């Protein structure tokens, strides 16, 4: 039976599984080993899904005389990240229409990790980027499993991980992109919130804030739940629960990464509070409450267009429906706030409509209603759905990386 909980609380009155639930201090190694063993089947399925998708893409790439590794490591934004790792910031492109695209639009954590690896291991930046992304994807899958197991049990957690690995655009998880890193840090930060590990929550949120622009969702989730925890502690003082200073520390740490980099770019461009957003406008990225996206939707509906744009529209539309279903599930506030912010940024932002599914990849809680439904379905139905999703994911991922004429 599902646990009853206050939507703004990390506490539950009943737990479907005995996960890593000690509220403070370090977990003994045997518990971590046990947690990894419980997650192992889900992680194995996730790895199998991604390897199969990679194999399908590689076979087609070789067929059309393209190099799979280069596609994965240096395509589109990956190349910007690799150049930052190799040469630092400073690259600017100026287009005939007056648009200016600066590499400071890209957050520093990912290229910093790539550079750190290449400085100690004799590999190229592309190989280091793939190593970071693949490792982060595995860590993210484990974090997603840990959250699903804690809230809904092992079967739902496994389904949640498998669905995340079989999204139509999940090929991004195998590329030298930043979404795996953000998702890993976000998942474990949210798990730390759910288990009252406030210092870990704040620290991981701060690191997530250095990975991508939409990582602000992690900071807001930690801040909202920390604020509620402090209000509740003030109203009902008790010896139970974590010390208040840890909650305050988490609230202070959570936004540091994101705010720090935005302020750095602003100072670098001569406009401390608006400089970063001016840089983003050079990339046609701005928040306009969906006005720009609606214009693209109109064109998609009224005119013949590319498959990737049609799929992007379908993914965003399905994601909005899944968010409504997630709200009905009444998940913990940390998950709800995090997902709401990601969906709001994606739907309300303009520019690069074809990239919106990628922006939603870290929004794994959207898949909770589908995962719960899949675990309640007949085994034959679950198998058919999973196989169909796998076929779509592998075929569409191959199309995105080898045939689509526009950036992912």
């Amino acid at each position: 039976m599902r646990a009853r909980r206050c939507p703004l609380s990390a506490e539950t009155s009943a737990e479907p599984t005995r996960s890593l639930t000690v509220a403070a201090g370090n977990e003994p190694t045997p518990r971590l080993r046990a947690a990894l063993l419980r997650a192992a089947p889900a992680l194995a399925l996730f790895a199998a899904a991604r390897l199969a998708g990679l194999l399908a893409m590689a076979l087609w790439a070789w067929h059309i005389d393209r190099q799979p590794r280069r596609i994965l490591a240096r395509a589109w934004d990956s190349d910007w990240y690799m150049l930052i790792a190799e040469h630092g910031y400073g690259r600017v492109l100026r287009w005939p229409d007056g648009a200016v695209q600066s590499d400071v639009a890209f957050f520093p954590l990912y290229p910093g990790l790539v550079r750190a690896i290449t400085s100690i291991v004799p590999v190229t930046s592309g190989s280091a980027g793939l190593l970071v992304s693949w490792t982060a994807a595995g860590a993210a899958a484990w974090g997603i499993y840990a959250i699903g197991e804690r809230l809904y049990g092992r079967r739902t957690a496994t389904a949640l991980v498998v669905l995340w690995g079989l999204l139509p655009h999940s090929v991004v998880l195998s590329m030298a992109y930043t979404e795996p890193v953000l998702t890993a840090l976000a998942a474990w930060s949210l798990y730390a919130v759910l288990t009252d590990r406030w210092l870990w929550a704040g620290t991981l949120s701060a690191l997530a804030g250095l990975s991508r622009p939409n990582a602000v969702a992690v900071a807001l989730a930690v801040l909202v739940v920390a604020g509620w925890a402090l209000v509740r502690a003030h109203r009902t003082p008790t010896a139970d629960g974590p010390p208040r200073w840890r909650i305050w520390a988490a609230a202070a740490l959570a936004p540091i990464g994101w705010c720090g980099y935005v302020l750095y770019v602003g100072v670098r461009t001569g406009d401390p509070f608006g400089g970063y957003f001016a840089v983003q406008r050079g990339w046609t990225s701005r928040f306009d409450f969906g006005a720009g996206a609606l214009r693209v939707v109109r064109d998609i509906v009224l005119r013949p267009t590319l498959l990737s744009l049609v799929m992007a529209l379908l993914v965003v539309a399905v994601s909005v429906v899944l968010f409504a279903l997630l709200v009905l599930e009444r998940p913990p506030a940390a998950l709800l706030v995090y997902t709401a912010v990601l969906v709001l940024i994606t739907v309300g932002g303009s520019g690069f409509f074809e990239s919106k599914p990628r922006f939603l990849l870290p929004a794994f809680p959207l898949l909770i209603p589908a995962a719960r439904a899949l675990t309640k379905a007949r085994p034959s139905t679950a198998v058919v759905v999973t196989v169909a999703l796998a076929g779509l994911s592998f075929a569409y991922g191959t199309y995105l990386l080898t045939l689509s004429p526009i950036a992912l």
Side-chain angles (χ1 to χ4, degrees):
M1 174 160 313
R2 183 180 170 187
R4 301 289 296 173
R5 63 178 58 81
C6 170
L8 288 175
S9 174
E11 297 177 354
T12 59
S13 57
E15 295 181 6
T17 181
R18 183 65 174 173
S19 185
L20 303 180
T21 56
V22 176
N26 295 324
E27 288 291 353
T29 300
R31 292 199 180 209
L32 292 175
R33 187 182 299 115
L36 181 57
L37 288 175
R38 289 198 304 275
L43 299 182
L45 290 172
F46 173 79
R50 296 308 331 128
L51 287 173
L54 279 179
L55 179 60
M57 186 280 295
L59 290 174
W60 180 253
W62 285 321
H63 175 71
I64 61 175
D65 293 324
R66 295 186 63 186
Q67 292 297 318
R69 181 191 169 282
R70 181 164 183 83
I71 293 173
L72 294 171
R74 304 294 301 223
W76 301 304
D77 287 358
S78 296
D79 196 45
W80 283 87
Y81 282 114
M82 296 308 110
L83 289 172
I84 294 170
E86 293 163 0
H87 308 293
Y89 285 101
R91 185 186 184 203
V92 177
L93 295 183
R94 302 181 186 276
W95 299 93
D97 62 359
V100 178
Q101 293 180 329
S102 170
D103 60 5
V104 293
F106 298 92
F107 278 52
L109 179 62
Y110 185 75
L113 292 172
V114 172
R115 186 161 189 166
I117 291 174
T118 56
S119 67
I120 59 177
V121 180
V123 295
T124 64
S125 56
S127 296
L130 292 177
L131 177 62
V132 171
S133 294
W134 294 353
T135 302
W142 188 12
I144 292 170
Y145 177 89
I147 290 174
E149 182 191 39
R150 178 174 177 82
L151 296 177
Y152 305 108
R154 296 177 66 178
R155 291 184 61 199
T156 299
T158 300
L160 186 62
V161 171
V162 171
L163 289 174
W164 188 63
L166 290 178
L167 289 171
H169 45 291
S170 60
V171 68
V172 173
L173 300 174
S174 302
M175 299 176 66
Y177 265 50
T178 54
E179 278 72 19
V181 174
L182 169 57
T183 309
L185 293 168
W188 285 108
S189 179
L190 294 172
Y191 180 78
V193 171
L194 294 178
T195 55
D196 283 337
R197 292 176 173 84
W198 288 103
L199 294 182
W200 276 110
T203 301
L204 292 171
S205 174
L207 288 173
L210 293 171
S211 64
R212 285 193 52 75
N214 54 353
V216 67
V218 189
L220 290 174
V222 175
L223 285 170
V224 167
V225 180
W228 176 253
L230 289 169
V231 169
R232 188 179 55 189
H234 178 73
R235 288 178 178 176
T236 56
T238 175
D240 297 333
R244 293 188 192 181
W245 70 267
R246 292 187 179 181
I247 305 176
W248 279 109
L253 286 170
I256 281 180
W258 190 88
C259 292
Y261 185 69
V262 169
L263 184 61
Y264 162 78
V265 174
V267 170
R268 178 169 174 154
T269 58
D271 182 2
F273 299 106
Y276 172 78
F277 303 101
V279 169
Q280 284 290 351
R281 286 194 293 273
W283 289 84
T284 72
S285 295
R286 61 175 62 85
F287 188 84
D288 60 1
F289 298 95
L294 285 176
R295 288 193 292 269
V296 177
V297 170
R298 179 195 59 196
D299 292 341
I300 293 173
V301 172
L302 297 179
R303 304 171 186 173
T305 190
L306 296 170
L307 173 61
S308 50
L309 288 174
V310 175
M311 282 295 294
L313 175 58
L314 291 175
V315 169
V316 172
V318 170
S319 297
V320 172
V321 174
L322 288 175
F323 179 71
L325 295 176
L326 178 67
V327 172
L328 296 178
E329 289 280 346
R330 297 184 62 197
L335 299 186
L336 191 59
V337 173
Y338 168 73
T339 309
V341 174
L342 287 177
V343 172
L344 178 63
I345 291 173
T346 302
V347 174
S350 66
F352 299 105
F353 190 89
E354 63 275 10
S355 298
K356 287 184 181 292
R358 175 165 63 85
F359 301 157
L360 286 169
L361 258 181
F364 62 88
L366 289 174
L367 299 171
I368 288 175
R372 286 172 60 78
L374 195 63
T375 57
K376 296 175 183 178
R378 294 179 178 178
S380 58
T381 301
V383 169
V384 170
V385 169
T386 302
V387 170
L389 288 175
L392 173 62
S393 178
F394 303 160
Y396 185 60
T398 299
Y399 166 81
L400 284 176
L401 295 192
T402 60
L403 297 175
S404 178
I406 56 179
L408 178 60

